């Protein structure tokens, strides 16, 4: 079984309505091959397809929104936002280090929580027709942006 990584978003997040992509890559460092990027999909389809693949393969799947930027300035804005978020995360880590290393405690809490939670069954993969219908909705969304 592989690993699936995605954003944990609130139910009212506008990012949920964006197209999503899946990047499949090796799970460990031993294998080296170029990641495979698939999509765009609607988020539920992306998650279900990624789950179906990693359930049977030792792969990592990263499911993330595709930001339909239309200008270089929009792209620069997204890059700047990502850089600021990374700096904020680094500052939080540095701040946590001032008060001690709590990784061991967090790992123990996560292990305990994992033991108590039932393992969910993967979602059924969408059919070709469902994915194609999703493509049509994404195309409409992308061509309608800013119109």
């Amino acid at each position: 079984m592989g690993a699936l990584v995605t954003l944990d978003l609130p139910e009212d997040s506008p990012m949920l309505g964006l197209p999503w992509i899946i990047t499949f890559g090796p799970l460990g460092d031993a294998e080296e091959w170029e990641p495979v990027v698939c999509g765009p999909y609607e988020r539920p389809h992306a998650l279900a397809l990624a789950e179906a693949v990693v359930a049977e393969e030792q792969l990592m799947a990263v499911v993330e929104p595709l930001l339909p930027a239309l200008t270089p300035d929009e792209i620069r804005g997204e890059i700047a936002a990502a850089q600021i978020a990374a700096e904020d995360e680094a500052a939080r880590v540095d701040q946590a280090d001032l008060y001690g290393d709590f990784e061991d405690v967090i790992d123990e809490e996560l292990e305990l929580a994992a033991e108590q939670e039932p393992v969910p069954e993967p979602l059924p993969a969408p059919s070709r027709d469902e994915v194609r219908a999703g493509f049509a909705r994404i195309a409409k969304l992308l061509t309608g942006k800013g119109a």
Side-chain angles (χ1 to χ4, degrees):
M1 183 173 185
L4 175 73
V5 178
T6 191
L7 298 173
D8 186 19
L9 298 171
E11 289 183 24
D12 61 345
S13 173
M15 293 181 85
L16 294 173
L18 292 174
W20 289 66
I21 58 171
I22 311 167
T23 304
F24 294 99
L27 188 57
D29 292 335
E31 286 186 76
E32 287 194 27
W33 46 274
E34 291 297 316
V36 175
V37 179
C38 302
Y41 304 103
E42 293 175 310
R43 186 172 191 266
H45 290 168
L47 289 171
L49 288 168
E51 284 181 0
V53 172
V54 300
E56 299 175 7
E57 304 282 337
Q58 287 291 322
L59 302 171
M60 175 173 285
V62 178
V63 178
E64 59 192 335
L66 179 65
L67 303 173
L70 300 176
T71 66
D73 286 337
E74 287 180 14
I75 295 169
R76 287 183 192 103
E78 293 298 331
I79 292 169
Q83 290 169 333
I84 290 169
E87 289 171 7
D88 289 348
E89 179 65 23
R92 280 194 292 272
V93 168
D94 289 344
Q95 194 78 0
D97 286 344
L98 291 174
Y99 301 104
D101 186 5
F102 295 105
E103 275 188 35
D104 293 336
V105 174
I106 291 172
D107 288 343
E108 290 172 10
E109 289 176 0
L110 290 175
E111 288 174 11
L112 184 60
E115 290 172 5
Q116 295 173 352
E117 292 180 17
V119 177
E121 290 293 317
L123 297 172
S127 69
R128 288 178 177 258
D129 290 338
E130 290 171 324
V131 171
R132 283 193 173 116
F135 286 162
R137 289 187 292 269
I138 290 168
K140 187 176 179 181
L141 173 74
L142 292 175
T143 57
K145 183 178 181 190

